[in-house]
Amino acid sequence: MTGLSSRDSELLCATLQDAVVKCSERCLYQSAKWAAELLTSLSSTTDLTPTSDTEDDSQMSDAVDIPRFSPSGSIPVIVTSNINPREAALEAREASRYLLAKSYFDCREYDRCAAVFIPENPATKVQSLPNQKGKSKASTPGSAYNPAASNPLFPQLSQKSLFLALYAKYMAGEKRRDEESEMILGPADGGSTTNAQLGPITKGLEGWFAELNREDGKVGESQGWLEYLYGVVLCKAKNEEEAKKWLVRSVNLYPYNWGAWQELGLMLETVEDLNTIIHLLPRNIMTLMFQLYTSQELYQSTYAVHNQLTELEGVFPKSQWLKTQRALLYYHSRDFDEAESIFSALMQKDPYRTDALDHYSNILYVMANRPKLAFLAQLATASDKFRPETCCVVGNYYSLKSDHEKAVMYFRRALTLDRGFLTAWTLMGHEYVEMKNTHAAIEAYRRAVDINRKDYRAWYGLGQTYEVLEMHYYALFYYQRAASLKPFDSKMWQAVGACLDKMNRPREAIKAHKRALIAGYDRNRSGSFGGADAREDGQGASDPETLYQIALMYEKLGEYAEAAAYMSMTLACEEGPDDDADGRSPNHGVGVTATTSRARMWLARWEFSRENLGRAMELATELCQDGVEVEEAKALVRDLRSRMEGERSQDG
């Protein structure tokens, strides 16, 4: 995919224009923003005219799927047209009420917006208010729809107006749930506080879809937007299998609603899940974007993914979203310099952009680049002080200064603005670990994995916290979850091995540490977390330490020959691999460290026990020169000299 023909570019431009307006009409502003930014990043957006020459044959004809209703060469100005005569007539009849409802939604008066099209009985509204304990009596989402127990579905509404009304109800329920939850990590902030509108919306949509499937139904052809809303509601109700089906149906009916793709990607936990669902998706450019996005979310920083990203950049060369995906891929593969360089260029091009600034601040934190992190915090605060991303940037800055209380304050502020902001929950858990507040740390990490089960940092943080509490069975479970998400991260397997060792399971611990060696071998810098706060340190896996731990476990098993072999490998890490033809070594080794000195002491004693006194004396003498384990080395030298002198006197 090196580029598009002029015809495909013109059609894609018109389709994205149509998508921006359609998403804006339904108040899906994040999806509209995504489509608009993609539209302006097309390689030849400004060159497209309705009368431009087009090519009949195109290699991209399958990759760009243009809906039949897209007005090629025309730009929708106020509202989009509808090719369904029934829907078009309903939309024309509701035009004034629709504009009123949308204005209410834009002012965040969600209940008033919904009431424009679906009026409620005031008595029913009062009954649905929270009881004395602050909990609302919500219907169970996903329960069976009873046609006899309700009026004939909804009033005769167009699908656009019905979506806006039900989406407003959903947003009203989310707003009311946040209000009832009160303070972050407070007594009411948990699973007991739910969106009371999920049940009514679910029942209403079940009835609407039942009418749609009737042969004599009066609903007509679906457009994909109500399927998207139904999938979101089912996902909130933890009915993920059904949610996937409806979201797949939604993206097939209307592929250019990016929010539907994001919701679908959130429920895919493994690469196998992605490969299973990919053949059910439409064959167009949005599926390629989704595949790239989901691969990045699954930490698949492979050559294939980078090549796919390069091909998409050929179509959208100015896309900041694609550049951000590239930076995140480098971030996941621990290439912090490249990731920081891309984010820095994005900030220079658009200093008011706050998307993914939380990831950029994480990179600067890992690199310990305090001046640049301080500048980023000032820039973000000046641009938009009350954005979750801004609060996370400032929180990371205070964390780097070791002001953990103030960092927690800013992470809490981020969650007050958006309780579903994943980064803030994870980073707040790290800060609570630093503050030795294990209970709060566990709760913060649990909230993070509830939002996104693919966040390996939160799983690893839970493992560390339970390990501090000496609850090793729990810690092992969470470490294994983190390792399954990041199988090529040596630090994950080192944690699994250390936990198994503490549980007196040395044979399994050896396997885990060997897996860590394999994971660290193919990367110049591996490892994801450093210190007690479980943050990425980027210093690479400690191969000598891993080798030394394997040796100690073989010693526990009584396999001293294997232990000696791994102790020798630990010692070899001081100098690194052999020099190349130019006399330079690609890895100069770690030098003398406490770990290699302990390995040298172990080997000296091992040789002593085997009566190999010459080799033992050589190792002990090296220890005396290293300045590590000096006293023990001197004692061993004295013992060796005494033994050697005794043997000489016997020989004499």
Side-chain angles (χ1 to χ4, degrees):
M1 188 194 304
T2 57
L4 295 177
S5 67
S6 58
R7 175 180 177 274
D8 286 333
S9 294
E10 183 180 348
L11 291 176
L12 181 57
C13 178
T15 303
L16 288 174
Q17 290 170 348
D18 186 75
V20 172
V21 179
K22 275 183 162 52
C23 292
S24 297
E25 285 175 352
R26 292 158 179 83
C27 299
L28 300 173
Y29 296 122
Q30 291 298 322
S31 297
K33 183 182 78 169
W34 185 87
E37 290 181 347
L38 209 62
L39 172 65
T40 58
S41 68
L42 274 168
S43 58
S44 55
T45 302
T46 57
D47 300 327
L48 297 177
T49 60
T51 58
S52 61
D53 295 334
T54 59
E55 299 176 15
D56 294 334
D57 297 327
S58 169
Q59 296 179 355
M60 283 296 297
S61 57
D62 291 335
V64 182
D65 179 27
I66 308 301
R68 292 170 296 168
F69 50 82
S70 293
S72 175
S74 63
I75 302 176
V77 179
I78 300 176
V79 294
T80 52
S81 59
N82 200 309
I83 62 171
N84 187 318
R86 178 183 178 279
E87 288 292 322
L90 288 172
E91 289 179 10
R93 188 183 70 184
E94 301 160 357
S96 298
R97 286 195 299 156
Y98 162 77
L99 292 174
L100 175 64
K102 187 176 184 304
S103 66
Y104 286 151
F105 194 103
D106 292 341
C107 295
R108 299 188 180 182
E109 299 181 33
Y110 303 122
D111 287 314
R112 291 187 75 188
C113 172
V116 170
F117 293 112
I118 308 177
E120 287 192 21
N121 186 340
T124 305
K125 185 69 176 175
V126 171
Q127 291 175 2
S128 67
L129 291 175
N131 58 24
Q132 293 180 352
K133 294 185 179 180
K135 306 294 187 298
S136 56
K137 298 180 180 179
S139 303
T140 303
S143 56
Y145 174 69
N146 183 6
S150 65
N151 294 326
L153 303 176
F154 300 106
Q156 287 296 314
L157 297 173
S158 66
Q159 293 183 42
K160 180 168 70 174
S161 298
L162 180 58
F163 176 88
L164 183 61
L166 293 179
Y167 186 50
K169 279 182 171 291
Y170 171 79
M171 293 301 295
E174 290 291 292
K175 179 182 176 183
R176 198 163 291 116
R177 185 202 64 187
D178 290 345
E179 292 170 350
E180 293 172 12
S181 299
E182 299 175 354
M183 64 178 294
I184 302 297
L185 294 182
D189 184 21
S192 58
T193 307
T194 60
N195 185 339
Q197 294 294 337
L198 295 182
I201 294 173
T202 301
K203 287 186 176 181
L205 285 173
E206 285 174 353
W208 191 89
F209 288 122
E211 179 72 15
L212 177 68
N213 293 328
R214 286 175 52 189
E215 293 183 1
D216 59 342
K218 300 178 180 180
V219 173
E221 184 180 353
S222 183
Q223 300 169 356
W225 301 97
L226 291 171
E227 284 83 356
Y228 160 65
L229 182 59
Y230 192 38
V232 170
V233 171
L234 288 172
C235 183
K236 283 283 185 180
K238 308 298 183 184
N239 190 354
E240 294 192 359
E241 289 303 316
E242 282 296 313
K244 286 180 187 177
K245 295 177 183 177
W246 285 97
L247 288 170
V248 168
R249 188 178 302 181
S250 173
V251 298
N252 275 281
L253 288 169
Y254 188 77
Y256 294 91
N257 174 17
W258 181 242
W261 294 100
Q262 285 183 306
E263 290 290 338
L264 182 59
L266 193 63
M267 290 181 284
L268 303 181
E269 297 187 25
T270 63
V271 178
E272 289 73 22
D273 291 343
L274 175 61
N275 294 333
T276 300
I277 206 171
I278 201 73
H279 71 279
L280 302 175
L281 303 177
R283 294 178 57 85
N284 59 29
I285 201 167
M286 292 298 292
T287 299
L288 300 178
M289 304 287 269
F290 169 73
Q291 192 172 7
L292 168 67
Y293 169 76
T294 309
S295 297
Q296 180 270 123
E297 289 288 304
L298 292 170
Y299 316 111
Q300 298 299 305
S301 185
T302 63
Y303 287 112
V305 175
H306 277 280
N307 289 337
Q308 185 180 24
L309 177 53
T310 301
E311 292 177 353
L312 286 170
E313 284 180 329
V315 180
F316 304 101
K318 296 179 286 185
S319 173
Q320 295 184 353
W321 183 81
L322 289 175
K323 289 180 172 62
T324 300
Q325 299 306 302
R326 175 89 69 185
L328 293 175
L329 288 172
Y330 282 127
Y331 173 41
H332 296 324
S333 61
R334 300 294 170 266
D335 193 345
F336 298 113
D337 292 327
E338 278 294 330
E340 194 279 329
S341 176
I342 295 174
F343 273 120
S344 181
L346 287 172
M347 290 301 298
Q348 290 177 7
K349 187 174 180 61
D350 186 0
Y352 301 106
R353 186 176 186 271
T354 57
D355 295 341
L357 277 193
D358 50 320
H359 297 295
Y360 186 23
S361 68
N362 285 343
I363 293 169
L364 295 175
Y365 181 97
V366 170
M367 299 174 71
N369 194 338
R370 183 169 161 182
K372 202 156 192 175
L373 184 55
F375 172 75
L376 182 64
Q378 291 177 339
L379 187 65
T381 302
S383 175
D384 193 343
K385 188 175 183 178
F386 296 103
R387 275 286 294 267
E389 293 89 348
T390 300
C391 296
C392 284
V393 172
V394 179
N396 265 335
Y397 169 72
Y398 282 112
S399 179
L400 194 58
K401 289 178 63 179
S402 298
D403 191 347
H404 302 296
E405 291 81 3
K406 208 159 188 177
V408 166
M409 182 186 76
Y410 275 95
F411 294 139
R412 279 178 171 271
R413 182 178 295 178
L415 293 168
T416 302
L417 295 167
D418 182 2
R419 287 177 185 265
F421 198 67
L422 173 66
T423 303
W425 283 114
T426 305
L427 295 180
M428 190 165 70
H430 296 344
E431 297 307 311
Y432 278 129
V433 171
E434 286 287 345
M435 297 164 65
K436 311 301 181 187
N437 189 345
T438 54
H439 176 75
I442 289 171
E443 185 60 28
Y445 287 135
R446 287 191 185 280
R447 294 294 293 272
V449 297
D450 283 343
I451 295 169
N452 187 352
R453 293 191 297 272
K454 298 190 289 288
D455 184 14
Y456 72 94
R457 300 169 302 170
W459 290 113
Y460 188 93
L462 280 169
Q464 278 195 323
T465 309
Y466 278 109
E467 194 170 19
V468 169
L469 297 172
E470 297 186 357
M471 301 173 69
H472 300 300
Y473 283 95
Y474 286 94
L476 177 62
F477 171 78
Y478 295 120
Y479 281 145
Q480 288 175 333
R481 286 298 300 265
S484 67
L485 290 167
K486 291 278 286 182
F488 300 107
D489 193 329
S490 59
K491 205 73 174 182
M492 303 294 105
W493 294 107
Q494 287 173 342
V496 172
C499 197
L500 287 167
D501 185 32
K502 291 176 182 177
M503 296 168 65
N504 198 26
R505 293 159 66 177
R507 189 71 67 183
E508 296 173 68
I510 288 171
K511 293 180 181 179
H513 278 294
K514 286 182 177 179
R515 183 72 181 268
L517 290 174
I518 295 170
Y521 179 77
D522 293 328
R523 288 186 3 198
N524 292 329
R525 289 186 301 177
S526 58
S528 299
F529 299 90
D533 64 351
R535 293 184 186 264
E536 294 89 341
D537 57 9
Q539 298 300 314
S542 179
D543 288 337
E545 183 63 32
T546 305
L547 292 166
Y548 181 73
Q549 292 300 325
I550 294 174
L552 291 181
M553 291 169 207
Y554 274 121
E555 183 183 22
K556 283 184 181 180
L557 293 169
E559 300 178 16
Y560 296 106
E562 285 290 328
Y566 276 92
M567 287 294 183
S568 299
M569 285 190 276
T570 305
L571 206 58
C573 291
E574 288 184 344
E575 299 179 359
D578 296 334
D579 294 342
D580 56 21
D582 297 329
R584 294 175 299 180
S585 173
N587 183 353
H588 298 289
V590 298
V592 177
T593 65
T595 300
T596 59
S597 295
R598 287 195 293 268
R600 184 176 275 107
M601 174 61 75
W602 192 96
L603 285 170
R605 288 173 175 160
W606 163 252
E607 299 293 352
F608 189 12
S609 66
R610 298 172 62 207
E611 301 295 331
N612 191 350
L613 303 182
R615 176 59 177 161
M617 178 62 77
E618 179 185 348
L619 292 167
T621 305
E622 290 175 358
L623 272 172
C624 293
Q625 297 171 353
D626 291 343
V628 182
E629 308 281 353
V630 174
E631 295 303 322
E632 293 185 35
K634 288 181 178 179
L636 183 58
V637 168
R638 287 195 295 269
D639 292 342
L640 285 166
R641 284 176 180 169
S642 175
R643 176 71 67 86
M644 294 168 76
E645 288 175 1
E647 290 181 356
R648 289 196 198 100
S649 63
Q650 290 178 3
D651 293 340

